Amino acid sequence: SLPAKLINGGIAGLIGVTCVFPIDLAKTRLQNQQNGQRMYASLSDCLIKTIRSEGYFGMYRGAAVNLTLVTPEKAIKLAANDFFRHHLSKDGKKLTLLREMLAGCGAGTCQVIVTTPMEMLKIQLQDAGRIAAQKKLMAAQAQLSSSPAAAEPVAETRTTATQITRELLRSKGIAGLYKGLGATLLRDVPFSIVYFPLFANLNKLGQKDPNVKAPFYVSFLSGCVAGSTAAVAVNPCDVIKTRLQSLQRGVNEDTYSGILDCTKKIWQREGPTAFFKGAYCRALVIAPLFGIAQVVYFIGIAEFLLDMLPKHRA
């Protein structure tokens, strides 16, 4: 049932995000730093420096936004894919690869309604620590060189998702929350086109009988492999999306007017390898996130909970 699908998707999203959010924060910071302004050398270096400067909970900046919106986001994604697969296979025949890809495309298109504002707010909060750390480093270097610019210490101004939302709505209206919508579509639609058919076919390999669900570990591994593969494949689009959605820049960092301008500047000034910044972080985030999501979704925790309600009331 649709309520069960939505609950399953929501539970899966909450569990997955809680487990992998620090890696996602590191991915955002690694993708946003530009040549000449590098604060972090790797995933581990980013997490260590974040803990030292912002404390353990600094790794979870922006998590509240994700935890609030990931339930509808994952629910829409998984339920929409099932919806499109069902309607594309009404003739009773097995779905062709093309139809599986079309179903994935439909799911990716539907989810951006929630994904775009969620990622927009999350990125601001995740990257704030990097920008603050960069300013402190610049101030310390200026102080060592006896520069007047270092006369006063640089203090980070903490903002909340609510403050950012209000400011964007006041200055730009609802469109402010949907900045980077095109780049989000450019990332999420191809991701779903790759992920869902790959997962479905990998999962089928573990089914001894077409009418019986695959074991949970098969669904988990299939979700991990399909998720990490799709994540790396669309990482260039994710880098562009992250850069476009960042409202604040570090010292001497480029600004971008759109997808083409961003692509051109990254290619010219940072080289083609810059499009794969944070790719391994993204794979580490997406693999368990979708592995957990598929296990929860296919076990059907929601069906169990919904079945228990009438008994409990009785």
Side-chain angles (χ1 to χ4, degrees):
S1 65
L2 183 59
K5 289 176 182 178
L6 295 177
I7 293 170
N8 278 332
I11 293 170
L14 290 173
I15 296 170
V17 167
T18 304
C19 293
V20 301
F21 193 84
I23 304 173
D24 186 62
L25 179 137
K27 178 212 65 118
T28 298
R29 294 188 177 186
L30 288 169
Q31 286 182 339
N32 261 336
Q33 64 180 8
Q34 300 178 19
N35 289 349
Q37 303 294 335
R38 288 168 60 87
M39 289 293 301
Y40 314 107
S42 63
L43 166 63
S44 58
D45 182 53
C46 179
L47 293 179
I48 290 169
K49 287 179 178 176
T50 299
I51 293 172
R52 284 176 181 170
S53 62
E54 303 168 54
Y56 174 78
F57 290 105
M59 295 191 298
Y60 283 88
R61 292 182 69 170
V65 175
N66 243 33
L67 290 171
T68 302
L69 296 178
V70 75
T71 298
E73 190 243 9
K74 283 288 174 289
I76 289 170
K77 188 185 190 84
L78 295 172
N81 181 66
D82 271 6
F83 173 82
F84 287 116
R85 287 178 71 89
H86 172 72
H87 283 278
L88 287 169
S89 61
K90 271 193 167 180
D91 54 5
K93 296 179 182 177
K94 180 183 175 182
L95 278 176
T96 62
L97 180 60
L98 178 60
R99 289 193 174 193
E100 286 183 331
M101 292 171 74
L102 284 172
C105 178
T109 304
C110 290
Q111 79 169 85
V112 297
I113 297 168
V114 177
T115 303
T116 305
M118 179 183 76
E119 296 260 321
M120 175 75 179
L121 295 171
K122 181 193 73 170
I123 285 169
Q124 313 317 314
L125 298 171
Q126 285 183 329
D127 204 38
R130 179 189 71 90
I131 294 171
Q134 188 187 85
K135 288 178 179 177
K136 287 178 183 177
L137 180 62
M138 296 287 287
Q141 290 173 346
Q143 192 170 20
L144 288 173
S145 60
S146 302
S147 169
E152 294 186 8
V154 178
E156 180 188 353
T157 304
R158 293 258 178 163
T159 56
T160 65
T162 304
Q163 289 172 329
I164 296 169
T165 303
R166 284 175 180 169
E167 178 58 29
L168 285 171
L169 290 174
R170 185 190 64 79
S171 60
K172 298 182 180 179
I174 193 69
L177 290 173
Y178 281 87
K179 182 178 180 179
L181 174 62
T184 305
L185 281 167
L186 197 63
R187 182 198 67 172
D188 287 352
V189 172
F191 177 93
S192 295
I193 288 173
V194 173
Y195 172 78
F196 283 109
L198 183 57
F199 169 79
N201 286 284
L202 288 173
N203 199 51
K204 281 176 188 174
L205 296 176
Q207 289 179 281
K208 294 179 180 179
D209 186 330
N211 298 317
V212 179
K213 288 180 180 179
F216 78 93
Y217 62 86
V218 173
S219 292
F220 176 76
L221 291 174
S222 298
C224 288
V225 172
S228 56
T229 302
V232 173
V234 302
N235 197 75
C237 301
D238 189 56
V239 172
I240 293 168
K241 184 199 74 68
T242 300
R243 296 278 182 97
L244 288 174
Q245 288 190 318
S246 296
L247 299 176
Q248 293 187 345
R249 304 287 176 190
V251 181
N252 299 323
E253 289 184 344
D254 290 329
T255 56
Y256 311 103
S257 60
I259 294 173
L260 292 177
D261 180 56
C262 183
T263 305
K264 182 180 176 182
K265 284 180 178 176
I266 292 174
W267 183 277
Q268 291 177 341
R269 299 175 189 181
E270 300 174 59
T273 55
F275 290 105
F276 287 92
K277 283 182 177 181
Y280 63 98
C281 295
R282 184 163 162 74
L284 288 173
V285 169
I286 296 296
L289 186 63
F290 277 84
I292 292 167
Q294 293 296 358
V295 168
V296 172
Y297 197 61
F298 278 87
I299 286 177
I301 291 177
E303 286 87 342
F304 173 76
L305 293 173
L306 291 171
D307 286 343
M308 288 295 291
L309 284 175
K311 295 176 185 178
H312 179 69
R313 286 170 184 168

